[in-house]
Amino acid sequence: MSDVKIVSLESKDVRFPTSLGAHGSDAMHKDPDYSCAYVILKTENGLEGNGLTFTCGRGTEIVVTAINTLSTIVVGKLAGEIFNDFGNFWRSLTSETQIRWLGPEKGVMHLATAAIINALWDLWGKIEKKPVWRLLADLTPEQLVSVIDFRYISDVITKEEAIEILRQSQTGKEQRIQTLLTGGYPAYTTQVGWLGYTEETVTRLCHEYLALGYTHFKVKVGQNIEDDIRRLRTVRKIVGQDNIVSIDANQVWDVNQAIEWVKRLAEFKLLWIEEPTSPDDVLGHLAISNALKPLGIGVATGEMCCNRVLFKQFLQSNAIQYCQIDSARIGGVNEILSVYLMAKKLGIKVCPHAGGVGLCEMVQHLQMWDYVALSGDKEGRWVEYVDQQHEHFVNPVVIKNAHYQAPLVINVHK
Amino acid sequence: MSDVKIVSLESKDVRFPTSLGAHGSDAMHKDPDYSCAYVILKTENGLEGNGLTFTCGRGTEIVVTAINTLSTIVVGKLAGEIFNDFGNFWRSLTSETQIRWLGPEKGVMHLATAAIINALWDLWGKIEKKPVWRLLADLTPEQLVSVIDFRYISDVITKEEAIEILRQSQTGKEQRIQTLLTGGYPAYTTQVGWLGYTEETVTRLCHEYLALGYTHFKVKVGQNIEDDIRRLRTVRKIVGQDNIVSIDANQVWDVNQAIEWVKRLAEFKLLWIEEPTSPDDVLGHLAISNALKPLGIGVATGEMCCNRVLFKQFLQSNAIQYCQIDSARIGGVNEILSVYLMAKKLGIKVCPHAGGVGLCEMVQHLQMWDYVALSGDKEGRWVEYVDQQHEHFVNPVVIKNAHYQAPLVINVHK
């Protein structure tokens, strides 16, 4: 492996006109065109690593420019040089001495980093002939932590603690791999409740997804309280009292407004309120969480949480009860592993965000690794599922009975 | 004013090879090439608005791409349309429904926003024939708060509270304008202590800046404790016990490391430790601040604080004692005003970051406005000063006796 050189990095600006059908619409993103900045790494022996970061249309060219700027750090390197010292390579991307000013470790630069890092993991999987979840699960605790940059999180978790946690999680791993291969991993659906959908569409989709075996339904809220009440009444009526309903405000509220609004929706028995306010507001989420605890409603966020330092604070302060990592918002697999480790240590459930172009395809690997090799538990956890843009992938996600099926096929492009 | 149309927006990638002399070098940025993404707005009647955001060299092209993407929101608008509803215009830039995903309100997108917004304020000043500090000081409290987006900060300050605070600060304004015009605003220097400088250079510069009237000296630290002790001993010996010394680690430490390291430097009687750790770590700064309080050392940060939501948390939790706003990191003048208002309400001193290309030229206006129209106080506050790249400006800062002199000249390009 160590003598395979990466000879090129190509980035593409790929857009789909989803705004035409209001698919993906919510209180903050009224007209998203589901898109992505796509990375293709090529090695001298003809292997390809594919990665991407999700975008909402306009501005994708900025992320592509950022990927091109960072590509000079990747191209010309030997694959082994990167994978044998992946933590340090990751830092060389995120802390390049001049480029770091543009983040640090957030926004456009971190989206670009995610696309490149995810392409590298795809390449590593192809070299090892394993899907990424299995590649991760087969790494020793020492190998796994060596890909993580512990800078800024050592006050909550050290490398040594992480190794110890991973060692303890080895027990029962083979059994869990079998369980996963047989039954898959639970999904919840956001498809029934996009804000731009009509009442008729919501009703039809609720029936459809119930029939498909889903037990957890998420509804977009936050534009109009009366409308929210009406839609939640419809959803609750169809899915019944035994299934789970969550809501998602996509950051439209201020802190106090969030508390008041959600209190008025509490009668619908909600598992979580997702993104009640700014994704940067740890103390705000803590205030909301404290106010909603007596009502049995948890707080969830993470899809726009900009890096492991923000996640650290959300987790250490109990500001959230559901940690929604995204596969392409923070710096790719390496950084996301550090979030899983902190969540495990602090006892917070990870329920990944997905739905955007390629996000389901990528994030399933991480959550499956978590089940097999870290948390050892699927109870009360789900990966988000949205049925959009899967047809563009060589290996799209496979969902059976509302469960993600573990990816097995490795396509090695030659 | 209202019928002047903005007909073009040009953005330039401007770089200076400052890394050749280690100017600006610190523990995190070992070889910065002081640079900027520069914006030139033009109106149909020949007026120009100039703004910029500072960068460290590589990657400036990404910010330029982002500025070009956002330019479609500005070009074609009437100046009055923007300035009469500036808060909403600001939100239309930072929350454009598709582009917002790339931030939100942070990193590359916010640097680009800052450059454009600062150019608009420059244009407004030229239309009104006033330097920006005076334009700001002459706005009524109602006009001033109308430029601010209070989204996500209303739990700490509301629009109504902000108006009330500004009204109370009107008392003595004319007197303070006279004081400012006579004596200027205090500066501190970072010039004596760049990490890449030799002992001889540090010694020479300490003597030079003492002779120029400076009373507050900042030294870069964090690479090597023995070296830090040696350099601080040199600086303290030359500037004496009555002058002020602060230190700056540029984010190199983890939380516990910061506490241990700074404790070992406490003997040098330090006013503040700046950027001890990640600029995103509110709870980390709070832990550091609590640990250093018994030693009389304050905590400062802000030059890389990504938006008003992070600033809100730093201020509300008492994680910092010195709030170091930067003129081009968050979304330009409009958002910075909200930080000043929160700092005033919560009793935290603002001591702006400056030194990068154009940052001194821009930020002096904000701090002068604060003195004249908000805090009413200069005691124990300084604007950072670094003597670099001023020669490239038509109206460079003027420093006399270690004080920024209030800008008076308005160059109206025709």
Side-chain angles (χ1 to χ4, degrees):
Chain A
M1 177 177 93
S2 59
D3 25 46
V4 182
K5 186 186 276 190
I6 296 168
V7 292
S8 69
L9 187 159
E10 190 186 351
S11 58
K12 289 175 184 281
D13 181 334
V14 183
R15 308 195 191 192
F16 301 98
T18 52
S19 62
L20 297 175
H23 311 304
S25 59
D26 62 52
M28 189 64 87
H29 312 89
K30 299 187 198 325
D31 59 348
D33 282 330
Y34 273 32
S35 304
C36 68
Y38 197 88
V39 167
I40 304 167
L41 293 171
K42 286 189 179 157
T43 65
E44 56 187 345
N45 65 345
L47 282 177
E48 260 189 28
N50 299 280
L52 61 80
T53 191
F54 173 63
T55 59
C56 286
R58 285 185 292 277
T60 307
E61 69 277 11
I62 306 166
V63 184
V64 168
T65 306
I67 289 169
N68 290 338
T69 300
L70 292 175
S71 70
T72 57
I73 303 172
V74 183
V75 176
K77 288 261 182 344
L78 301 177
E81 207 182 326
I82 293 174
F83 302 135
N84 293 331
D85 193 18
F86 212 170
N88 280 322
F89 175 80
W90 188 88
R91 190 187 282 190
S92 75
L93 265 187
T94 56
S95 291
E96 201 276 349
T97 56
Q98 295 192 352
I99 299 171
R100 187 178 186 276
W101 186 265
L102 308 181
E105 302 186 49
K106 59 176 66 68
V108 167
M109 297 316 302
H110 235 30
L111 294 170
T113 298
I116 293 173
I117 290 291
N118 290 342
L120 284 167
W121 279 91
D122 184 59
L123 177 65
W124 195 359
K126 285 168 180 164
I127 289 172
E128 301 286 342
K129 297 188 173 57
K130 292 176 184 178
V132 170
W133 71 267
R134 188 67 204 242
L135 168 64
L136 285 166
D138 288 349
L139 293 177
T140 66
E142 290 77 8
Q143 286 172 322
L144 192 114
V145 301
S146 78
V147 312
I148 297 171
D149 187 352
F150 283 84
R151 175 180 268 180
Y152 301 143
I153 58 171
S154 68
D155 53 324
V156 162
I157 194 164
T158 63
K159 185 176 277 202
E160 294 67 33
E161 284 177 295
I163 291 173
E164 189 49 38
I165 290 170
L166 285 162
R167 275 195 195 134
Q168 288 173 8
S169 302
Q170 297 283 308
T171 316
K173 190 166 85 174
E174 286 309 316
Q175 176 58 45
R176 289 192 295 274
I177 289 176
Q178 291 314 312
T179 308
L180 178 70
L181 290 171
T182 317
Y185 197 96
Y188 76 84
T189 179
T190 310
Q191 203 74 25
V192 303
W194 296 116
L195 214 58
Y197 280 4
T198 62
E199 191 76 3
E200 291 64 36
T201 308
V202 172
T203 304
R204 176 176 57 77
L205 289 169
C206 279
H207 284 296
E208 240 177 78
Y209 280 84
L210 257 184
L212 287 169
Y214 285 88
T215 58
H216 184 174
F217 304 80
K218 195 169 79 188
V219 177
K220 298 286 179 176
V221 297
Q223 215 161 49
N224 177 300
I225 182 79
E226 300 307 332
D227 190 50
D228 291 347
I229 290 171
R230 187 179 49 74
R231 292 150 59 82
L232 279 167
R233 193 168 289 143
T234 304
V235 171
R236 220 357 134 196
K237 197 170 144 194
I238 302 172
V239 306
Q241 289 301 315
D242 291 340
N243 283 308
I244 294 164
V245 175
S246 293
I247 56 172
D248 184 357
N250 290 87
Q251 315 169 19
V252 288
W253 299 318
D254 279 22
V255 174
N256 297 322
Q257 190 186 12
I259 295 169
E260 292 314 311
W261 197 297
V262 177
K263 279 184 176 172
R264 291 192 58 191
L265 302 177
E267 59 174 302
F268 298 107
K269 209 179 87 176
L270 306 168
L271 183 66
W272 73 57
I273 165 65
E274 179 171 329
E275 292 203 307
T277 189
S278 165
D280 303 320
D281 198 352
V282 176
L283 299 178
H285 280 79
L286 179 58
I288 295 166
S289 177
N290 287 338
L292 298 180
K293 196 170 289 172
L295 300 170
I297 302 170
V299 172
T301 197
E303 72 184 75
M304 288 216 197
C305 181
C306 64
N307 56 40
R308 68 194 177 287
V309 182
L310 259 297
F311 270 118
K312 177 183 78 170
Q313 296 170 82
F314 279 113
L315 296 168
Q316 76 183 130
S317 65
N318 278 309
I320 57 173
Q321 286 71 51
Y322 299 92
C323 175
Q324 301 181 305
I325 56 121
D326 176 286
S327 53
R329 163 69 58 184
I330 67 175
V333 175
N334 307 48
E335 188 170 3
I336 297 168
L337 296 177
S338 75
V339 178
Y340 272 105
L341 284 160
M342 289 190 285
K344 166 71 179 174
K345 182 179 167 185
L346 296 166
I348 312 281
K349 289 179 178 178
V350 178
C351 294
H353 169 251
V357 181
L359 297 185
C360 298
E361 277 71 16
M362 292 193 292
V363 89
Q364 59 179 341
H365 291 272
L366 299 168
Q367 192 75 353
M368 288 175 186
W369 161 76
D370 172 67
Y371 167 60
V372 165
L374 183 59
S375 75
D377 198 10
K378 308 185 278 187
E379 198 53 38
R381 299 167 202 240
W382 305 262
V383 176
E384 183 169 17
Y385 179 64
V386 181
D387 192 9
Q388 281 180 207
Q389 279 84 41
H390 302 296
E391 65 275 21
H392 308 295
F393 289 85
V394 176
N395 293 314
V397 285
V398 177
I399 306 278
K400 282 184 194 162
N401 192 31
H403 282 64
Y404 280 82
Q405 302 301 299
L408 298 172
V409 183
I410 298 295
N411 271 55
V412 180
H413 303 268
K414 276 275 184 186
Chain B
M1 178 177 94
S2 59
D3 24 45
V4 182
K5 187 186 276 190
I6 295 168
V7 291
S8 68
L9 188 159
E10 191 186 348
S11 58
K12 289 175 184 281
D13 181 333
V14 183
R15 309 195 191 192
F16 301 97
T18 52
S19 62
L20 298 176
H23 311 303
S25 59
D26 61 53
M28 189 64 88
H29 313 89
K30 299 187 199 321
D31 58 349
D33 282 329
Y34 273 33
S35 303
C36 68
Y38 197 89
V39 167
I40 304 167
L41 293 171
K42 286 190 179 155
T43 66
E44 54 187 346
N45 65 345
L47 282 177
E48 259 190 28
N50 298 282
L52 61 80
T53 191
F54 174 63
T55 59
C56 287
R58 285 185 292 276
T60 307
E61 69 277 12
I62 306 165
V63 184
V64 168
T65 305
I67 290 169
N68 291 337
T69 300
L70 293 175
S71 70
T72 57
I73 303 172
V74 184
V75 177
K77 288 260 180 348
L78 300 177
E81 206 183 327
I82 293 174
F83 301 136
N84 293 330
D85 193 18
F86 212 170
N88 280 322
F89 175 79
W90 188 88
R91 189 186 283 189
S92 75
L93 265 187
T94 55
S95 290
E96 202 276 347
T97 55
Q98 295 192 351
I99 300 171
R100 187 178 186 276
W101 187 266
L102 308 181
E105 304 186 46
K106 58 177 66 69
V108 166
M109 297 317 301
H110 235 30
L111 294 170
T113 298
I116 292 172
I117 290 291
N118 290 341
L120 284 166
W121 279 91
D122 184 59
L123 178 65
W124 195 0
K126 284 168 180 165
I127 289 172
E128 301 286 342
K129 297 190 174 55
K130 292 176 184 178
V132 169
W133 70 268
R134 189 66 204 241
L135 168 64
L136 285 166
D138 288 348
L139 293 177
T140 66
E142 290 77 8
Q143 286 173 322
L144 193 115
V145 301
S146 78
V147 311
I148 297 171
D149 187 352
F150 282 84
R151 175 179 269 178
Y152 300 143
I153 58 171
S154 68
D155 53 324
V156 161
I157 194 164
T158 63
K159 185 175 277 201
E160 293 67 34
E161 284 177 295
I163 290 173
E164 189 49 38
I165 290 170
L166 285 162
R167 276 196 193 133
Q168 287 173 10
S169 301
Q170 297 283 308
T171 317
K173 191 168 83 173
E174 286 309 317
Q175 176 58 46
R176 289 193 294 275
I177 290 177
Q178 291 313 312
T179 307
L180 179 70
L181 290 171
T182 317
Y185 196 96
Y188 77 84
T189 179
T190 311
Q191 203 74 23
V192 303
W194 297 116
L195 213 59
Y197 280 2
T198 62
E199 190 76 2
E200 291 65 36
T201 308
V202 172
T203 304
R204 177 175 57 76
L205 288 169
C206 280
H207 285 296
E208 241 177 78
Y209 280 85
L210 257 185
L212 287 168
Y214 285 88
T215 58
H216 183 174
F217 305 80
K218 195 169 79 188
V219 178
K220 298 286 179 175
V221 297
Q223 215 162 49
N224 178 300
I225 183 78
E226 301 306 332
D227 189 50
D228 290 347
I229 291 170
R230 188 180 49 75
R231 291 150 60 83
L232 279 167
R233 192 168 289 142
T234 303
V235 172
R236 221 356 133 198
K237 198 172 142 194
I238 301 172
V239 307
Q241 289 301 314
D242 291 341
N243 283 309
I244 294 164
V245 175
S246 292
I247 55 173
D248 184 357
N250 290 86
Q251 315 168 18
V252 287
W253 299 318
D254 280 21
V255 173
N256 296 322
Q257 191 187 10
I259 294 168
E260 292 315 310
W261 198 297
V262 177
K263 278 183 177 172
R264 290 193 57 191
L265 301 177
E267 60 173 302
F268 297 107
K269 210 179 86 177
L270 307 168
L271 182 66
W272 74 55
I273 166 65
E274 179 171 330
E275 292 203 306
T277 188
S278 164
D280 304 320
D281 198 352
V282 175
L283 300 177
H285 280 79
L286 179 58
I288 295 167
S289 177
N290 287 337
L292 298 180
K293 196 171 288 173
L295 299 170
I297 303 170
V299 172
T301 197
E303 72 184 74
M304 287 216 196
C305 182
C306 63
N307 56 40
R308 69 194 176 288
V309 182
L310 258 297
F311 270 118
K312 176 183 78 169
Q313 296 170 83
F314 278 112
L315 295 168
Q316 75 183 131
S317 65
N318 278 309
I320 57 173
Q321 287 70 51
Y322 298 92
C323 175
Q324 301 181 304
I325 57 121
D326 175 286
S327 53
R329 164 68 60 184
I330 68 174
V333 175
N334 307 49
E335 187 170 4
I336 298 169
L337 296 177
S338 75
V339 178
Y340 272 106
L341 283 160
M342 289 190 284
K344 165 71 179 173
K345 181 179 168 184
L346 297 166
I348 311 281
K349 289 179 178 178
V350 177
C351 294
H353 169 251
V357 182
L359 298 184
C360 299
E361 276 72 15
M362 292 193 292
V363 89
Q364 59 179 342
H365 291 272
L366 299 168
Q367 192 76 354
M368 288 175 186
W369 161 76
D370 172 66
Y371 167 60
V372 164
L374 183 60
S375 75
D377 197 10
K378 308 185 280 187
E379 198 53 36
R381 298 166 201 239
W382 305 262
V383 177
E384 184 169 18
Y385 179 64
V386 180
D387 193 9
Q388 281 180 209
Q389 279 85 39
H390 302 296
E391 65 277 19
H392 307 297
F393 288 86
V394 176
N395 293 314
V397 286
V398 178
I399 306 278
K400 282 184 196 163
N401 193 31
H403 282 65
Y404 280 82
Q405 303 300 300
L408 299 172
V409 184
I410 298 296
N411 271 56
V412 180
H413 302 268
K414 276 273 185 187

